[in-house]
């Protein structure tokens, strides 16, 4: 507790340091109202662009951050009563074709020549929006949180066009004011522009960003200075209805064919220019991309990120609370086993210092499982302190409705309620060198014995060469988060990591250096249960290829029986001790090639004095910009004494992305998972016939590998339309 108090005092003092002075305050782009009508065609032939101020002379971020960029980029911005306009001239420094994956939306940043806009409409250096495109015209948009992270699952309504010339490619965009959130009357926004040119392997930014941080870092934005306050959007109401038809057949179970005929509705209501109310009735998420499967050899539940659009805007208010394995709220718990009937979500800025997030969701009952209808309520209130830090309070409630469990049952199947309440302090210094957080959370449940309590903290320092992180966590035995992701209870964790990078004067190697880490787990009696210590060495070439080699030692004292194959059903006994050594390597090829590859290896000991060998490989080839082919393969060979003996698992996932235009997409993804004895085929056709309005055709099959036969099959046709009132 003493360390926590010192951490908080240090963090608060540091977060206020230089809070009055923005680091890149001298970088200003003045924007004035358009002097002519603008047509989004990728051409610079309107008077408005001739009159607009130009942001140029970008600074290099990588491979070095001490000089101007070699590639020239010119940016102009203007606006009218409806839209914010952007025009970018991306000049070429080296002859040859541009490098892109495909025309797929929300492309991989490092594999495409691209331009991105990072926008902080509240100038709080914490939250914002990102828009951009690659050199073939594929769009990128996302919502920004935590001062520099971008969630690309967020989509909104805007228009853009890319035109290629001999010496440059031009990106022109119109972003409706109704598609973003901003505070009334503010005439200065945080803004930065990022350019990645793969032929020169150069990443650059208009306002300079140190190379240890992403170009999206809002701590280093310049300023967009408006000639007058941005226009108010007036009534900002969007209605997004959907209709679908589908067929589902359980072939292996000889089940009846199920027919789906459903309609539903989402609505977005802008209560203010910075506060939004989202409503949903009978939502459907059948078009969401399937999760990428992994071979599970872990003792705990795996985490898969949220992809459903309704939960994403300002989702960091809920999802960022806690740590990677201590998440009091995890939206994928809602609607996991029961249909969502309706829901509402209020989120956004109250003013520059306060943000709010409130959500209520209602699910229906599932009679065959005895699952009652349930109501989920989440409330978060965040206050910014100092330059970029904040304090957040959160309350979570899961309530079963009309549920009367058997009074004679020792343990009810479902709980009457589960509640969590707590506080979190997030530290982000003015220059982003110091980051961290400290959290406290308490759970409440009808049958909870003892205090369900969590506290955790970490402090991280990131300079150009040295990175250091200290972290500790405590989760009590009785803590429960039924709407969260907390796979492990009853432990203390201490984790420390440090790394150092050398930047040699070399034409081939960008940086290299060691990384060391040690992690301990103790049970609540103070007994050591887990320990991992590792040493790694990293090399990054100027071509952006990377290599890492590592060695580690592991110790585990099992707290419950565990099957080391997660397959056979035979388990190691609780209380048994296991220790082993392992080594491995990882390599990723340069992203600018049309043929890319990566591999990882791991060999060494395993539970019960066994051995485990692992190889993964990722291979990709693109016929740019229309077709991208990828193959992922993961092989595990586990050698154990009886009763397990030798166990081998393959996980293979070929994928094809066909992007006929930047509005017409087809994806086919096959996953063969030997551990769960399943082959999954998922194909998705998408036609974006208008901005944010789509037709989806999704076909899914699941097969048993041996003997090969179809287990179940489904097909869904879905229509969505974004209608602004």
């Amino acid at each position: 507790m003493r360390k926590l108090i010192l951490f908080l005092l240090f963090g608060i003092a540091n977060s206020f340091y230089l809070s009055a002075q923005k680091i890149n305050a001298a970088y200003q782009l003045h924007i004035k109202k358009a002097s002519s009508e603008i047509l989004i065609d990728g051409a610079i032939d309107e008077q408005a662009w001739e009159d607009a101020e130009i942001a140029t002379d970008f600074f290099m971020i990588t491979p070095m951050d001490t000089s101007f960029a070699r590639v020239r980029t010119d940016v102009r911005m203007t606006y009218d009563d409806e839209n914010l306009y952007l025009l970018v001239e991306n000049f070429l420094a080296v002859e040859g074709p541009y490098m892109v994956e495909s025309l797929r939306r929300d492309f991989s940043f490092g594999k495409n020549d691209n331009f991105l806009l990072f926008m902080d409409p509240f100038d709080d250096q914490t939250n914002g929006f990102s828009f951009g495109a690659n050199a073939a015209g594929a769009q990128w948009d996302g919502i920004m949180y935590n001062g520099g992270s971008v969630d690309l699952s967020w989509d909104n309504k805007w228009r853009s066009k890319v035109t290629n010339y001999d010496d440059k490619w031009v990106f022109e965009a119109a972003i409706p004011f109704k598609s973003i959130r901003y505070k009334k009357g503010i005439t200065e926004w945080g803004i930065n522009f990022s350019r990645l040119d793969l032929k020169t392997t150069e990443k650059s930014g208009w306002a300079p960003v140190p190379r240890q941080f992403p170009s999206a870092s809002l701590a280093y934005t310049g300023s967009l200075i408006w000639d007058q306050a941005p226009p108010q959007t007036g009534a900002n109401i969007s209605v997004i209805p959907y209709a679908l038809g589908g067929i589902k057949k359980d072939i292996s179970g000889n089940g009846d064919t199920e027919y789906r005929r459903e309609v539903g509705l989402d609505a977005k209501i802008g209560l203010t220019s910075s506060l939004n109310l989202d409503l949903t009735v009978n939502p459907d998420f059948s078009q969401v991309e399937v999760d990428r499967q992994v071979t599970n050899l872990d003792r705990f539940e795996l985490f898969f990120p949220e992809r459903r659009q309704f939960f994403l805007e300002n989702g960091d208010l809920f999802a960022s609370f806690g740590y990677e394995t201590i998440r009091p709220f995890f939206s994928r718990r809602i609607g996991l086993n029961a249909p969502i009937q309706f829901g509402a979500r209020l989120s956004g800025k109250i003013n520059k210092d306060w943000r709010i997030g409130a959500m209520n969701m209602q699910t229906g009952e599932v009679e065959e499982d005895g699952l009652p209808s349930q109501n989920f309520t989440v409330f978060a209130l965040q206050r910014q302190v100092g330059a970029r830090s904040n304090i957040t309070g959160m309350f979570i409630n899961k309530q079963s409705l009309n549920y009367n469990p058997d009074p004679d049952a020792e343990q009810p199947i479902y709980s009457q309620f589960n509640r969590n309440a707590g506080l979190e302090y997030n530290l982000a210094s003015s220059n982003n060198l110091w980051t961290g957080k400290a959290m406290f959370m308490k759970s409440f449940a009808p049958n909870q014995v003892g205090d369900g309590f969590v506290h955790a903290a970490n402090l991280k320092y990131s300079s150009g060469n040295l990175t250091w992180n200290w972290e500790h966590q405590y989760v009590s035995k009785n803590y429960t988060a039924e709407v969260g992701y907390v796979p492990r209870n009853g432990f203390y964790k201490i984790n420390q990591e440090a790394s150092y990078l050398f930047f040699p004067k070399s034409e081939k190697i960008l940086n290299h250096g060691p990384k060391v880490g040690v992690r301990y787990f103790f049970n609540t009696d103070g007994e050591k249960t887990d320990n991992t210590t590792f040493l790694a060495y990293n090399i990054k070439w100027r071509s952006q290829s990377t290599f890492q080699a590592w060695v580690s030692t592991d110790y585990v004292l099992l707290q419950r029986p565990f099957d080391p194959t997660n397959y056979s059903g035979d388990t190691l006994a609780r209380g048994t001790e296991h220790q082993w050594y392992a080594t491995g390597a990882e390599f990723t090829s340069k992203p600018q090639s049309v043929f890319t590859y990566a591999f990882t290896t791991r060999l060494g000991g395993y539970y019960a004095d066994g051995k485990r060998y692992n190889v993964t490989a990722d291979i990709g080839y693109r016929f740019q910009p229309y077709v991208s082919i990828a193959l992922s393969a993961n092989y595990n060979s586990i050698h154990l004494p009886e009763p397990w003996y030798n166990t081998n698992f393959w996980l293979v996932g070929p994928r094809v992305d066909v992007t006929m235009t930047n509005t017409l997409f087809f994806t086919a993804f096959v996953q063969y998972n030997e551990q769960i004895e399943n082959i999954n085929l998922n194909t998705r056709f998408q036609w974006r016939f208008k901005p944010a309005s789509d037709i989806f055709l999704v076909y899914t099959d699941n097969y048993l590998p041996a003997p090969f036969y179809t287990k179940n099959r489904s097909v869904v046709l879905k229509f969505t339309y974004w209608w602004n009132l």
Side-chain angles (χ1 to χ4, degrees):
M1 185 62 68
R2 183 179 177 184
K3 287 184 177 180
L4 276 177
I5 294 172
L6 290 173
F7 165 76
L8 289 171
L9 291 174
F10 166 81
I12 292 172
N14 196 275
S15 67
F16 275 97
Y17 177 66
L18 289 177
S19 62
Q21 179 63 44
K22 191 173 180 178
I23 294 173
N24 283 331
Y27 294 86
Q28 297 183 351
L29 176 63
H30 295 85
I31 182 173
K32 59 184 179 181
K33 198 166 186 178
S35 56
S36 68
E37 186 177 350
I38 293 178
L39 178 65
I40 304 301
D41 56 2
I44 316 173
D45 53 6
E46 291 96 351
Q47 185 61 43
W49 293 131
E50 293 294 328
D51 297 337
E53 187 171 309
I54 302 176
T56 189
D57 295 331
F58 278 39
F59 283 84
M60 192 185 299
I61 300 174
T62 60
M64 304 300 292
D65 59 359
T66 56
S67 66
F68 284 103
R70 289 173 54 199
V71 292
R72 175 184 161 194
T73 309
D74 290 351
V75 183
R76 296 171 170 89
M77 296 188 73
T78 186
Y79 71 96
D80 59 22
D81 292 336
E82 303 293 332
N83 299 301
L84 176 65
Y85 295 99
L86 172 74
L87 187 134
V88 187
E89 294 177 272
N90 300 278
F91 292 91
L92 305 181
V94 177
E95 291 185 359
Y98 52 72
M99 303 292 178
V100 297
E101 279 182 297
S102 66
L103 295 167
R104 180 168 57 89
R105 190 184 184 92
D106 296 333
F107 47 81
S108 174
F109 171 81
K111 296 181 179 180
N112 293 262
D113 287 334
N114 66 67
F115 174 90
L116 302 179
L117 158 69
F118 303 115
M119 188 163 49
D120 176 9
F122 287 88
D123 206 25
D124 63 5
Q125 304 174 62
T126 305
N127 305 282
F129 301 90
S130 181
F131 297 89
N134 69 12
Q139 290 185 333
W140 155 301
D141 57 358
I143 193 164
M144 301 188 67
Y145 63 98
N146 286 352
S149 300
V150 183
D151 187 343
L152 294 175
S153 299
W154 179 84
D155 285 335
N156 220 304
K157 194 171 184 178
W158 59 292
R159 295 176 292 122
S160 67
K161 174 69 175 178
V162 165
T163 302
N164 285 271
Y165 301 90
D166 291 338
D167 62 336
K168 63 185 175 183
W169 58 277
V170 175
F171 166 49
E172 190 172 21
I175 304 167
F177 286 110
K178 290 186 176 183
S179 295
I180 57 177
R181 311 283 174 252
Y182 55 93
K183 187 62 179 175
K184 178 181 179 181
I186 291 181
T187 57
E188 184 173 327
W189 292 7
I191 203 162
N192 208 354
F193 312 112
S194 170
R195 168 88 183 276
L196 179 63
D197 183 78
L198 289 176
K199 289 192 292 295
T200 60
T201 67
E202 179 181 277
K203 181 173 71 170
S204 57
W206 169 59
V209 180
R211 61 189 168 194
Q212 70 266 31
F213 301 126
S215 55
S217 178
L218 296 180
Y220 290 90
T221 56
S223 298
L224 183 68
I225 309 297
W226 296 78
D227 60 345
Q228 57 184 321
Q232 292 303 293
T233 56
N236 187 358
I237 301 175
S238 299
V239 177
I240 313 166
Y242 82 84
L244 70 78
I247 300 174
K248 183 178 181 181
K249 175 70 174 179
D250 181 7
I251 298 172
S252 62
N254 296 316
D256 294 333
T257 300
E258 299 179 22
Y259 296 93
R260 296 181 61 190
R261 293 176 290 271
E262 298 176 17
V263 295
L265 182 73
D266 287 349
K268 290 180 173 290
I269 304 171
L271 302 180
T272 70
S273 60
S274 58
L275 193 62
N276 198 65
L277 176 64
D278 289 278
L279 305 172
T280 187
V281 178
N282 193 31
D284 170 81
F285 307 104
S286 57
Q287 83 281 4
V288 175
E289 282 197 10
V290 296
D291 292 313
R292 182 169 177 172
Q293 298 178 22
V294 295
T295 299
N296 182 12
L297 295 174
D298 197 73
R299 289 173 288 154
F300 307 102
E301 177 190 15
L302 299 179
F303 177 83
F304 294 94
E306 178 63 87
R307 299 175 182 271
R308 297 173 295 179
Q309 186 75 16
F310 179 81
F311 295 97
L312 297 178
E313 185 171 355
N314 291 305
D316 64 290
L317 276 166
F318 310 121
S320 295
F321 198 106
Y323 285 81
E324 185 177 351
T325 56
I326 305 178
R327 301 174 187 263
F329 177 73
F330 179 38
S331 58
R332 283 187 70 145
R333 300 292 189 203
I334 301 175
L336 182 65
N337 298 311
I340 297 174
Q341 294 178 327
F342 53 85
R345 191 165 64 95
L346 175 70
S347 63
K349 284 273 194 176
I350 301 174
N351 55 39
K352 185 175 181 179
D353 294 325
W354 288 95
R355 293 176 73 206
I356 188 172
M359 179 164 60
N360 185 271
M361 305 294 292
Q362 178 68 45
T363 62
E365 62 179 312
V366 182
E367 293 184 4
E368 56 267 29
D369 296 331
L371 177 65
S373 61
Q374 294 177 323
N375 184 266
F376 300 82
T377 299
V378 191
F379 179 79
L381 187 64
Q382 186 179 92
R383 164 75 183 188
Q384 183 161 330
V385 293
R388 301 178 58 244
S389 303
N390 59 67
I391 296 174
T392 304
M394 176 177 276
F395 172 75
I396 306 157
N397 181 52
K398 174 187 175 183
Q399 189 85 36
S400 294
L401 305 179
N402 301 318
Y403 179 51
N404 299 302
D406 184 354
D408 298 325
E410 184 175 332
Q411 181 69 37
I413 300 175
Y414 303 104
S415 63
Q416 287 286 141
F417 67 85
N418 179 252
R419 295 171 187 143
N420 274 246
L423 288 171
E424 179 176 271
Y425 169 69
N426 281 280
L427 164 69
S429 65
S430 298
N431 56 11
N432 216 42
L433 291 179
W434 292 95
T435 57
K437 69 167 61 179
M439 67 166 293
F440 304 85
M441 182 65 67
K442 179 83 167 61
S443 68
F444 306 87
N447 300 310
Q448 182 173 295
V449 179
D451 60 337
F453 184 67
V454 169
H455 74 78
N458 84 289
L459 183 62
K460 183 177 181 179
Y461 174 78
S462 300
S463 70
N465 300 93
L466 175 65
T467 300
W468 169 84
N469 183 60
W470 165 83
E471 177 184 323
H472 89 263
Q473 299 177 2
Y474 166 72
V475 179
S476 72
K477 287 183 179 180
N478 304 302
Y479 177 73
T480 56
E482 293 183 13
V483 199
Y485 175 76
V486 187
R488 185 169 183 164
N489 288 65
F491 71 87
Y492 295 91
K493 173 186 174 183
I494 298 174
N495 185 38
Q496 294 189 64
E497 292 184 1
S499 63
Y500 192 88
L501 289 178
F502 300 96
F503 291 86
K505 294 181 179 179
S506 168
E507 294 183 358
K508 293 185 177 181
I509 295 178
L510 175 60
N511 61 59
H512 62 91
K515 182 177 182 179
V516 63
V518 59
R519 181 175 66 226
Y520 288 97
F521 284 87
F522 302 89
N523 62 24
T524 51
D525 295 325
E527 182 181 22
K528 184 176 74 171
T529 63
D530 299 76
N531 168 230
T532 297
T533 302
F534 74 89
L535 173 65
Y537 205 89
N538 297 277
I539 302 173
K540 186 172 184 178
W541 284 267
R542 287 182 179 267
S543 66
Q544 304 302 305
S545 297
T546 61
F547 175 77
Q548 180 189 81
W550 58 268
V551 293
S552 72
T553 176
D554 287 85
Y555 167 82
V556 173
L557 172 63
L558 287 175
Q559 302 298 290
R560 58 180 60 87
F562 172 62
D563 175 6
T565 67
N566 268 340
Y567 175 79
S568 68
D570 297 304
T571 59
L572 296 164
R574 178 183 182 274
T576 56
E577 295 183 82
H578 308 270
Q579 187 165 6
W580 63 83
Y581 297 91
T583 186
E586 303 174 8
F587 177 80
T588 302
S589 69
K590 59 183 182 181
Q592 59 267 42
S593 297
V594 293
F595 174 69
T596 58
Y597 57 93
F599 72 84
T600 67
T601 63
R602 185 258 189 218
L603 57 95
Y606 197 53
Y607 292 92
D609 294 323
K611 299 291 184 182
R612 178 187 166 207
Y613 306 95
N614 169 256
V615 178
T616 67
D618 293 280
I619 301 172
Y621 192 87
R622 58 183 186 261
F623 302 89
Q624 59 182 32
Y626 301 110
V627 180
S628 175
I629 302 172
L631 174 66
S632 297
N634 185 324
Y635 175 72
N636 280 278
S637 181
I638 302 171
H639 301 260
L640 295 167
E642 62 174 333
W644 300 277
Y645 300 108
N646 296 342
T647 305
N648 301 309
F649 292 132
W650 276 101
L651 175 60
V652 182
R655 179 187 178 111
V656 177
D657 282 292
V658 181
T659 54
M660 291 151 272
T661 69
N662 61 0
T663 60
L664 205 60
F665 315 100
F666 173 78
T667 300
F669 190 23
V670 179
Q671 297 185 91
Y672 166 55
N673 191 332
E674 197 170 8
Q675 186 181 36
I676 62 174
E677 298 182 335
N678 190 71
I679 299 175
N680 172 257
L681 167 66
N682 181 268
T683 63
R684 188 179 72 155
F685 174 83
Q686 178 185 1
W687 175 31
R688 177 146 287 190
F689 60 92
K690 283 189 175 182
S693 300
D694 301 279
I695 293 176
F696 296 95
L697 180 62
V698 182
Y699 177 82
T700 303
D701 265 355
N702 282 292
Y703 306 94
L704 184 71
F708 184 84
Y709 69 82
T710 305
K711 294 196 288 187
N712 53 66
R713 174 174 293 155
S714 68
V715 61
V716 172
L717 178 65
K718 182 176 180 180
F719 168 88
T720 66
Y721 186 79
W722 189 301
W723 183 23
N724 286 333
L725 299 181

